[in-house]
């Protein structure tokens, strides 16, 4: 279900379980190649006090006819506009992998506009000002696909179908370009606290790169580790969601 409100919000946000009595809107931003449907299981794991809004990027699921966005500023501006109506309540941002960087840029824009989120949760992503250069978005199809298969959370079997692969690969490449060419224009600490989640076996985000998020907040930064790799939360989704709920509850005390 699309989120109510402005036409922009309806295009960008998916809310499967609206809750009129909710006090907090939780915005989920997917990884490269990911979609709002990736968080489908989270809706039933959240208490009714929290209303979940998963961001649907262009180029996937019900927006598959739209061109994927390849520029971080364009993406962050669009998401910021889309979630503006959600600030009728408190807002928490959660982003995994590429979504973590987008969430950070959205938080910066929201704070600059006087609509500060109460908490930023980044998952499976190192602090953007310390991320090393990467160029997989320029690699040949086989190399890019091998990386996607290695890190894939689910749905990688779709890449075995030539027709589906032809549809998915341009979107994946665009997402990688967005993530790999992004560099923060300025390193100014957020007023919101940051919680960093990672899998102990994630070869993309070691403890040092995760800890560097502390440079990007003036309100404290906590780290939380789980068994598993880059998509650690698929091993025990309920435990990870429970941790996120506990972090939100702690923030609103």
């Amino acid at each position: 279900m699309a989120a109510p409100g402005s036409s922009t919000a309806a295009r960008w946000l998916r809310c499967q379980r609206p809750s009129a009595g909710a006090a907090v809107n939780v915005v989920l931003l997917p990884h490269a190649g990911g979609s709002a449907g990736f968080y489908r299981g989270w809706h039933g794991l959240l208490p009714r006090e929290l209303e979940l809004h998963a961001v649907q990027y262009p180029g996937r699921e019900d927006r598959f006819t739209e061109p994927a966005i390849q520029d971080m500023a364009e993406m962050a501006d669009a998401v910021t506009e889309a979630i503006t109506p959600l600030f009728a309540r408190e807002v928490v941002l959660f982003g995994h992998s590429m979504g973590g960087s987008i969430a950070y840029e959205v938080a910066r824009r929201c704070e600059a506009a006087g609509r500060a989120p109460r908490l930023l949760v980044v998952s499976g992503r190192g602090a953007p000002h310390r991320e090393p250069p990467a160029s997989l978005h320029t690699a040949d199809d086989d190399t890019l696909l091998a990386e996607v298969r290695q890190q894939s959370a689910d749905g990688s079997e779709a890449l075995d179908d030539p027709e589906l692969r032809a549809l998915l690969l341009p979107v994946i490449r665009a997402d990688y370009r967005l993530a790999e060419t992004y560099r923060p224009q300025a390193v100014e600490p957020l007023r919101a606290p940051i919680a960093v989640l990672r899998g102990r076996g994630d070869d993309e985000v070691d403890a040092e790169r995760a800890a560097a998020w502390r440079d990007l907040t003036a309100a404290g930064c906590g780290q939380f580790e789980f068994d598993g790799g880059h998509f650690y939360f698929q091993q025990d989704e309920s435990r990870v969601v429970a941790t996120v709920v506990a972090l939100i509850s702690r923030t609103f005390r």
Side-chain angles (χ1 to χ4, degrees), residues 1-58:
M1 178 183 295
S6 71
S7 59
T8 300
R11 281 174 47 235
W12 282 83
L13 303 176
R14 303 292 175 267
C15 180
Q16 293 184 16
R17 195 186 69 168
S19 179
V24 181
N25 286 317
V26 182
V27 179
L28 303 181
L29 294 107
H31 55 283
S35 65
F38 182 75
Y39 293 110
R40 191 173 293 110
W42 288 44
H43 290 266
L45 297 173
L46 292 174
R48 299 296 293 185
E49 293 79 17
L50 306 178
E51 186 173 275
L52 187 154
H53 300 266
V55 173
Q56 188 74 292
Y57 305 136

Short mmCIF file of all heavy atoms in Angstrom, two decimals, residues 1-58:
data_model
loop_
_atom_site.label_atom_id
_atom_site.label_comp_id
_atom_site.label_asym_id
_atom_site.label_seq_id
_atom_site.Cartn_x
_atom_site.Cartn_y
_atom_site.Cartn_z
N MET A 1 0.84 -1.20 0.00
CA MET A 1 0.00 0.00 0.00
C MET A 1 0.87 1.24 0.00
O MET A 1 1.83 1.33 0.77
CB MET A 1 -0.91 0.01 1.24
CG MET A 1 -1.80 1.26 1.36
SD MET A 1 -2.79 1.25 2.87
CE MET A 1 -3.85 -0.15 2.59
N ALA A 2 0.57 2.18 -0.86
CA ALA A 2 1.32 3.43 -0.89
C ALA A 2 0.95 4.27 0.31
O ALA A 2 -0.15 4.18 0.85
CB ALA A 2 1.03 4.18 -2.18
N ALA A 3 1.88 5.11 0.72
CA ALA A 3 1.63 5.98 1.86
C ALA A 3 0.65 7.07 1.48
O ALA A 3 0.61 7.55 0.35
CB ALA A 3 2.94 6.62 2.33
N PRO A 4 -0.20 7.50 2.42
CA PRO A 4 -1.12 8.59 2.14
C PRO A 4 -0.37 9.91 2.10
O PRO A 4 0.78 10.01 2.48
CB PRO A 4 -2.09 8.52 3.33
CG PRO A 4 -1.26 7.95 4.44
CD PRO A 4 -0.32 6.98 3.79
N GLY A 5 -1.07 10.94 1.65
CA GLY A 5 -0.47 12.27 1.66
C GLY A 5 -0.20 12.77 0.27
O GLY A 5 -0.99 12.56 -0.65
N SER A 6 0.92 13.43 0.09
CA SER A 6 1.24 14.04 -1.19
C SER A 6 1.45 12.99 -2.27
O SER A 6 1.70 11.82 -1.98
CB SER A 6 2.51 14.89 -1.05
OG SER A 6 3.62 14.06 -0.91
N SER A 7 1.33 13.41 -3.53
CA SER A 7 1.55 12.49 -4.63
C SER A 7 2.98 11.97 -4.63
O SER A 7 3.24 10.83 -5.02
CB SER A 7 1.21 13.18 -5.96
OG SER A 7 2.02 14.34 -6.14
N THR A 8 3.92 12.82 -4.21
CA THR A 8 5.32 12.38 -4.13
C THR A 8 5.48 11.26 -3.11
O THR A 8 6.12 10.24 -3.37
CB THR A 8 6.23 13.55 -3.76
OG1 THR A 8 6.12 14.57 -4.76
CG2 THR A 8 7.69 13.10 -3.67
N ALA A 9 4.85 11.43 -1.94
CA ALA A 9 4.92 10.39 -0.91
C ALA A 9 4.29 9.10 -1.42
O ALA A 9 4.81 8.00 -1.19
CB ALA A 9 4.22 10.86 0.36
N ALA A 10 3.18 9.20 -2.13
CA ALA A 10 2.49 8.01 -2.63
C ALA A 10 3.35 7.26 -3.64
O ALA A 10 3.29 6.03 -3.72
CB ALA A 10 1.16 8.41 -3.26
N ARG A 11 4.14 7.96 -4.42
CA ARG A 11 5.01 7.31 -5.39
C ARG A 11 6.19 6.62 -4.72
O ARG A 11 6.64 5.57 -5.16
CB ARG A 11 5.53 8.34 -6.41
CG ARG A 11 4.54 8.71 -7.49
CD ARG A 11 5.05 9.84 -8.38
NE ARG A 11 6.42 9.63 -8.81
CZ ARG A 11 7.41 10.51 -8.62
NH1 ARG A 11 7.19 11.63 -7.98
NH2 ARG A 11 8.62 10.25 -9.08
N TRP A 12 6.70 7.20 -3.66
CA TRP A 12 7.97 6.76 -3.09
C TRP A 12 7.85 5.85 -1.88
O TRP A 12 8.81 5.15 -1.55
CB TRP A 12 8.80 7.98 -2.70
CG TRP A 12 9.48 8.63 -3.86
CD1 TRP A 12 8.95 9.53 -4.74
CD2 TRP A 12 10.83 8.41 -4.29
NE1 TRP A 12 9.88 9.89 -5.68
CE2 TRP A 12 11.04 9.22 -5.43
CE3 TRP A 12 11.88 7.62 -3.83
CZ2 TRP A 12 12.26 9.25 -6.11
CZ3 TRP A 12 13.09 7.65 -4.50
CH2 TRP A 12 13.28 8.46 -5.63
N LEU A 13 6.74 5.85 -1.18
CA LEU A 13 6.64 5.15 0.10
C LEU A 13 5.59 4.05 0.06
O LEU A 13 4.51 4.23 -0.52
CB LEU A 13 6.31 6.14 1.22
CG LEU A 13 7.29 7.30 1.40
CD1 LEU A 13 6.79 8.25 2.48
CD2 LEU A 13 8.69 6.79 1.74
N ARG A 14 5.91 2.92 0.70
CA ARG A 14 4.99 1.79 0.78
C ARG A 14 4.75 1.46 2.25
O ARG A 14 5.69 1.16 3.00
CB ARG A 14 5.56 0.57 0.06
CG ARG A 14 5.90 0.82 -1.40
CD ARG A 14 4.65 1.04 -2.25
NE ARG A 14 5.00 1.39 -3.62
CZ ARG A 14 5.12 2.65 -4.07
NH1 ARG A 14 4.94 3.67 -3.26
NH2 ARG A 14 5.44 2.86 -5.34
N CYS A 15 3.48 1.53 2.64
CA CYS A 15 3.09 1.25 4.02
C CYS A 15 2.04 0.14 3.99
O CYS A 15 0.89 0.38 3.62
CB CYS A 15 2.55 2.52 4.68
SG CYS A 15 2.03 2.29 6.40
N GLN A 16 2.42 -1.05 4.39
CA GLN A 16 1.51 -2.19 4.33
C GLN A 16 0.55 -2.24 5.50
O GLN A 16 -0.52 -2.84 5.41
CB GLN A 16 2.32 -3.50 4.30
CG GLN A 16 3.12 -3.70 3.04
CD GLN A 16 3.82 -5.05 3.04
OE1 GLN A 16 3.50 -5.95 3.82
NE2 GLN A 16 4.80 -5.20 2.17
N ARG A 17 0.94 -1.62 6.62
CA ARG A 17 0.10 -1.71 7.81
C ARG A 17 -0.02 -0.35 8.48
O ARG A 17 0.64 -0.06 9.46
CB ARG A 17 0.69 -2.74 8.79
CG ARG A 17 -0.27 -3.17 9.89
CD ARG A 17 0.41 -4.06 10.91
NE ARG A 17 1.39 -3.31 11.70
CZ ARG A 17 1.97 -3.77 12.80
NH1 ARG A 17 1.72 -4.98 13.21
NH2 ARG A 17 2.84 -3.04 13.47
N PRO A 18 -0.88 0.54 7.94
CA PRO A 18 -1.06 1.85 8.57
C PRO A 18 -1.57 1.70 10.00
O PRO A 18 -2.34 0.78 10.31
CB PRO A 18 -2.12 2.52 7.68
CG PRO A 18 -2.05 1.79 6.38
CD PRO A 18 -1.70 0.37 6.72
N SER A 19 -1.13 2.58 10.86
CA SER A 19 -1.53 2.53 12.27
C SER A 19 -1.87 3.94 12.73
O SER A 19 -0.98 4.77 12.94
CB SER A 19 -0.39 1.95 13.12
OG SER A 19 -0.74 1.92 14.48
N ALA A 20 -3.15 4.22 12.86
CA ALA A 20 -3.60 5.57 13.20
C ALA A 20 -3.05 6.04 14.54
O ALA A 20 -2.82 7.23 14.76
CB ALA A 20 -5.13 5.62 13.21
N GLY A 21 -2.80 5.11 15.45
CA GLY A 21 -2.33 5.49 16.77
C GLY A 21 -0.83 5.48 16.92
O GLY A 21 -0.31 5.68 18.03
N ALA A 22 -0.10 5.29 15.83
CA ALA A 22 1.37 5.23 15.90
C ALA A 22 1.94 6.58 16.30
O ALA A 22 1.42 7.64 15.93
CB ALA A 22 1.95 4.79 14.57
N ALA A 23 3.04 6.54 17.05
CA ALA A 23 3.72 7.76 17.47
C ALA A 23 4.95 8.05 16.64
O ALA A 23 5.46 9.18 16.63
CB ALA A 23 4.12 7.65 18.95
N VAL A 24 5.45 7.03 15.94
CA VAL A 24 6.72 7.15 15.22
C VAL A 24 6.57 6.55 13.82
O VAL A 24 6.02 5.46 13.66
CB VAL A 24 7.87 6.42 15.95
CG1 VAL A 24 9.18 6.59 15.19
CG2 VAL A 24 8.00 6.93 17.38
N ASN A 25 7.06 7.27 12.81
CA ASN A 25 7.17 6.73 11.46
C ASN A 25 8.60 6.24 11.25
O ASN A 25 9.56 7.00 11.46
CB ASN A 25 6.85 7.81 10.43
CG ASN A 25 5.38 8.11 10.35
OD1 ASN A 25 4.54 7.20 10.37
ND2 ASN A 25 5.01 9.39 10.29
N VAL A 26 8.74 4.99 10.86
CA VAL A 26 10.04 4.40 10.60
C VAL A 26 10.21 4.28 9.08
O VAL A 26 9.42 3.60 8.42
CB VAL A 26 10.18 3.01 11.26
CG1 VAL A 26 11.57 2.44 11.00
CG2 VAL A 26 9.91 3.11 12.76
N VAL A 27 11.22 4.94 8.54
CA VAL A 27 11.46 4.95 7.10
C VAL A 27 12.61 3.99 6.81
O VAL A 27 13.71 4.15 7.34
CB VAL A 27 11.81 6.37 6.61
CG1 VAL A 27 12.09 6.35 5.11
CG2 VAL A 27 10.68 7.34 6.95
N LEU A 28 12.37 3.00 5.93
CA LEU A 28 13.36 2.00 5.58
C LEU A 28 13.87 2.24 4.16
O LEU A 28 13.08 2.34 3.22
CB LEU A 28 12.76 0.59 5.67
CG LEU A 28 12.16 0.18 7.01
CD1 LEU A 28 11.62 -1.23 6.93
CD2 LEU A 28 13.19 0.29 8.13
N LEU A 29 15.18 2.31 4.00
CA LEU A 29 15.79 2.54 2.69
C LEU A 29 16.59 1.31 2.27
O LEU A 29 17.52 0.91 2.97
CB LEU A 29 16.68 3.78 2.73
CG LEU A 29 15.90 5.08 2.98
CD1 LEU A 29 16.14 5.59 4.39
CD2 LEU A 29 16.25 6.14 1.96
N PRO A 30 16.25 0.70 1.13
CA PRO A 30 16.88 -0.55 0.70
C PRO A 30 18.30 -0.39 0.18
O PRO A 30 18.79 0.71 -0.09
CB PRO A 30 15.95 -1.05 -0.42
CG PRO A 30 14.68 -0.28 -0.28
CD PRO A 30 15.09 1.05 0.30
N HIS A 31 18.93 -1.52 -0.03
CA HIS A 31 20.28 -1.65 -0.55
C HIS A 31 20.29 -1.50 -2.07
O HIS A 31 19.23 -1.39 -2.70
CB HIS A 31 20.83 -3.02 -0.18
CG HIS A 31 19.96 -4.15 -0.64
ND1 HIS A 31 18.79 -4.51 0.00
CD2 HIS A 31 20.06 -4.99 -1.70
CE1 HIS A 31 18.22 -5.51 -0.63
NE2 HIS A 31 18.97 -5.83 -1.68
N ALA A 32 21.47 -1.52 -2.66
CA ALA A 32 21.61 -1.47 -4.11
C ALA A 32 20.92 -2.69 -4.74
O ALA A 32 21.17 -3.83 -4.33
CB ALA A 32 23.08 -1.44 -4.52
N GLY A 33 20.06 -2.44 -5.71
CA GLY A 33 19.30 -3.50 -6.33
C GLY A 33 18.07 -3.90 -5.55
O GLY A 33 17.28 -4.73 -6.01
N GLY A 34 17.88 -3.33 -4.36
CA GLY A 34 16.77 -3.70 -3.50
C GLY A 34 15.53 -2.87 -3.75
O GLY A 34 15.55 -1.86 -4.45
N SER A 35 14.43 -3.30 -3.14
CA SER A 35 13.14 -2.65 -3.32
C SER A 35 12.41 -2.60 -1.98
O SER A 35 12.84 -3.20 -0.99
CB SER A 35 12.29 -3.41 -4.33
OG SER A 35 11.98 -4.70 -3.83
N ALA A 36 11.28 -1.91 -1.97
CA ALA A 36 10.48 -1.82 -0.75
C ALA A 36 10.04 -3.20 -0.28
O ALA A 36 9.91 -3.44 0.92
CB ALA A 36 9.26 -0.93 -1.00
N GLY A 37 9.82 -4.11 -1.22
CA GLY A 37 9.38 -5.45 -0.86
C GLY A 37 10.37 -6.23 -0.03
O GLY A 37 10.01 -7.21 0.62
N PHE A 38 11.64 -5.80 -0.04
CA PHE A 38 12.66 -6.50 0.74
C PHE A 38 12.32 -6.48 2.23
O PHE A 38 12.68 -7.40 2.97
CB PHE A 38 14.02 -5.84 0.49
CG PHE A 38 15.16 -6.51 1.20
CD1 PHE A 38 15.66 -7.72 0.76
CD2 PHE A 38 15.72 -5.93 2.33
CE1 PHE A 38 16.70 -8.34 1.43
CE2 PHE A 38 16.77 -6.54 3.00
CZ PHE A 38 17.27 -7.74 2.55
N TYR A 39 11.61 -5.44 2.67
CA TYR A 39 11.28 -5.29 4.09
C TYR A 39 9.87 -5.80 4.42
O TYR A 39 9.32 -5.46 5.47
CB TYR A 39 11.40 -3.82 4.50
CG TYR A 39 12.83 -3.30 4.45
CD1 TYR A 39 13.22 -2.38 3.48
CD2 TYR A 39 13.77 -3.73 5.38
CE1 TYR A 39 14.53 -1.91 3.44
CE2 TYR A 39 15.07 -3.25 5.35
CZ TYR A 39 15.44 -2.34 4.39
OH TYR A 39 16.73 -1.87 4.34
N ARG A 40 9.30 -6.59 3.54
CA ARG A 40 7.92 -7.04 3.72
C ARG A 40 7.71 -7.70 5.08
O ARG A 40 6.69 -7.50 5.73
CB ARG A 40 7.56 -8.01 2.59
CG ARG A 40 6.09 -8.35 2.50
CD ARG A 40 5.81 -9.18 1.25
NE ARG A 40 6.04 -8.40 0.03
CZ ARG A 40 7.04 -8.59 -0.83
NH1 ARG A 40 7.94 -9.55 -0.60
NH2 ARG A 40 7.17 -7.85 -1.92
N GLY A 41 8.67 -8.50 5.51
CA GLY A 41 8.51 -9.22 6.76
C GLY A 41 8.57 -8.35 8.01
O GLY A 41 8.13 -8.78 9.08
N TRP A 42 9.09 -7.14 7.87
CA TRP A 42 9.22 -6.27 9.04
C TRP A 42 7.89 -5.75 9.54
O TRP A 42 7.73 -5.46 10.73
CB TRP A 42 10.14 -5.09 8.71
CG TRP A 42 11.58 -5.43 8.58
CD1 TRP A 42 12.12 -6.49 7.93
CD2 TRP A 42 12.68 -4.70 9.12
NE1 TRP A 42 13.49 -6.46 8.01
CE2 TRP A 42 13.87 -5.37 8.73
CE3 TRP A 42 12.79 -3.53 9.86
CZ2 TRP A 42 15.13 -4.92 9.08
CZ3 TRP A 42 14.06 -3.07 10.21
CH2 TRP A 42 15.21 -3.77 9.83
N HIS A 43 6.92 -5.61 8.65
CA HIS A 43 5.65 -4.99 9.04
C HIS A 43 5.00 -5.74 10.19
O HIS A 43 4.45 -5.13 11.11
CB HIS A 43 4.71 -4.92 7.84
CG HIS A 43 5.14 -3.95 6.79
ND1 HIS A 43 4.68 -2.65 6.74
CD2 HIS A 43 5.99 -4.08 5.74
CE1 HIS A 43 5.22 -2.03 5.70
NE2 HIS A 43 6.03 -2.87 5.09
N GLY A 44 5.03 -7.06 10.14
CA GLY A 44 4.38 -7.84 11.18
C GLY A 44 5.19 -7.97 12.45
O GLY A 44 4.69 -8.52 13.43
N LEU A 45 6.42 -7.47 12.46
CA LEU A 45 7.29 -7.60 13.63
C LEU A 45 7.35 -6.32 14.46
O LEU A 45 7.91 -6.32 15.55
CB LEU A 45 8.71 -7.98 13.18
CG LEU A 45 8.84 -9.34 12.49
CD1 LEU A 45 10.27 -9.51 11.94
CD2 LEU A 45 8.51 -10.47 13.44
N LEU A 46 6.80 -5.23 13.94
CA LEU A 46 6.84 -3.96 14.66
C LEU A 46 5.61 -3.78 15.52
O LEU A 46 4.50 -4.16 15.12
CB LEU A 46 6.94 -2.79 13.67
CG LEU A 46 8.22 -2.64 12.88
CD1 LEU A 46 8.08 -1.52 11.86
CD2 LEU A 46 9.40 -2.35 13.79
N PRO A 47 5.75 -3.17 16.70
CA PRO A 47 4.56 -2.86 17.51
C PRO A 47 3.73 -1.79 16.83
O PRO A 47 4.22 -1.05 15.97
CB PRO A 47 5.17 -2.34 18.83
CG PRO A 47 6.52 -1.84 18.45
CD PRO A 47 7.00 -2.73 17.34
N ARG A 48 2.47 -1.69 17.21
CA ARG A 48 1.56 -0.76 16.56
C ARG A 48 1.94 0.70 16.79
O ARG A 48 1.48 1.59 16.08
CB ARG A 48 0.13 -0.97 17.07
CG ARG A 48 -0.44 -2.35 16.81
CD ARG A 48 -0.60 -2.65 15.33
NE ARG A 48 -1.61 -1.82 14.69
CZ ARG A 48 -2.01 -1.95 13.43
NH1 ARG A 48 -1.44 -2.89 12.66
NH2 ARG A 48 -2.93 -1.18 12.92
N GLU A 49 2.82 0.95 17.77
CA GLU A 49 3.27 2.33 18.02
C GLU A 49 4.19 2.84 16.93
O GLU A 49 4.49 4.03 16.85
CB GLU A 49 3.99 2.41 19.38
CG GLU A 49 3.10 2.17 20.59
CD GLU A 49 2.81 0.69 20.83
OE1 GLU A 49 3.56 -0.15 20.26
OE2 GLU A 49 1.86 0.38 21.56
N LEU A 50 4.68 1.91 16.10
CA LEU A 50 5.59 2.27 15.02
C LEU A 50 4.92 1.97 13.68
O LEU A 50 4.41 0.86 13.48
CB LEU A 50 6.90 1.48 15.13
CG LEU A 50 7.65 1.56 16.46
CD1 LEU A 50 8.90 0.69 16.41
CD2 LEU A 50 8.02 2.99 16.80
N GLU A 51 4.94 2.94 12.77
CA GLU A 51 4.39 2.72 11.44
C GLU A 51 5.55 2.71 10.45
O GLU A 51 6.34 3.65 10.39
CB GLU A 51 3.39 3.81 11.07
CG GLU A 51 2.68 3.56 9.76
CD GLU A 51 1.56 4.55 9.50
OE1 GLU A 51 0.43 4.33 10.00
OE2 GLU A 51 1.82 5.58 8.83
N LEU A 52 5.61 1.65 9.66
CA LEU A 52 6.75 1.44 8.77
C LEU A 52 6.43 1.94 7.36
O LEU A 52 5.37 1.66 6.81
CB LEU A 52 7.08 -0.04 8.74
CG LEU A 52 8.34 -0.51 8.01
CD1 LEU A 52 8.80 -1.82 8.61
CD2 LEU A 52 8.09 -0.69 6.53
N HIS A 53 7.39 2.67 6.79
CA HIS A 53 7.28 3.18 5.42
C HIS A 53 8.56 2.78 4.67
O HIS A 53 9.63 3.32 4.95
CB HIS A 53 7.12 4.70 5.41
CG HIS A 53 5.91 5.18 6.15
ND1 HIS A 53 4.72 5.42 5.52
CD2 HIS A 53 5.71 5.43 7.47
CE1 HIS A 53 3.82 5.81 6.40
NE2 HIS A 53 4.40 5.82 7.60
N ALA A 54 8.43 1.84 3.75
CA ALA A 54 9.58 1.39 2.98
C ALA A 54 9.67 2.22 1.70
O ALA A 54 8.68 2.41 0.99
CB ALA A 54 9.46 -0.09 2.64
N VAL A 55 10.87 2.70 1.41
CA VAL A 55 11.07 3.54 0.23
C VAL A 55 11.15 2.66 -1.02
O VAL A 55 11.86 1.65 -1.03
CB VAL A 55 12.36 4.38 0.38
CG1 VAL A 55 12.67 5.12 -0.92
CG2 VAL A 55 12.21 5.37 1.53
N GLN A 56 10.41 3.06 -2.03
CA GLN A 56 10.46 2.38 -3.32
C GLN A 56 11.22 3.25 -4.32
O GLN A 56 10.73 4.28 -4.78
CB GLN A 56 9.03 2.13 -3.85
CG GLN A 56 8.97 1.26 -5.09
CD GLN A 56 9.23 -0.20 -4.77
OE1 GLN A 56 10.35 -0.57 -4.41
NE2 GLN A 56 8.21 -1.04 -4.88
N TYR A 57 12.45 2.85 -4.62
CA TYR A 57 13.24 3.60 -5.59
C TYR A 57 12.67 3.39 -7.00
O TYR A 57 12.08 2.35 -7.28
CB TYR A 57 14.69 3.11 -5.59
CG TYR A 57 15.42 3.12 -4.28
CD1 TYR A 57 16.21 2.03 -3.90
CD2 TYR A 57 15.36 4.20 -3.42
CE1 TYR A 57 16.91 2.01 -2.70
CE2 TYR A 57 16.05 4.19 -2.21
CZ TYR A 57 16.82 3.10 -1.86
OH TYR A 57 17.52 3.09 -0.67
N PRO A 58 12.89 4.32 -7.91
CA PRO A 58 12.49 4.11 -9.30
C PRO A 58 13.25 2.93 -9.92
O PRO A 58 14.36 2.61 -9.51
CB PRO A 58 12.89 5.42 -9.99
CG PRO A 58 13.02 6.43 -8.90
CD PRO A 58 13.46 5.67 -7.69
#
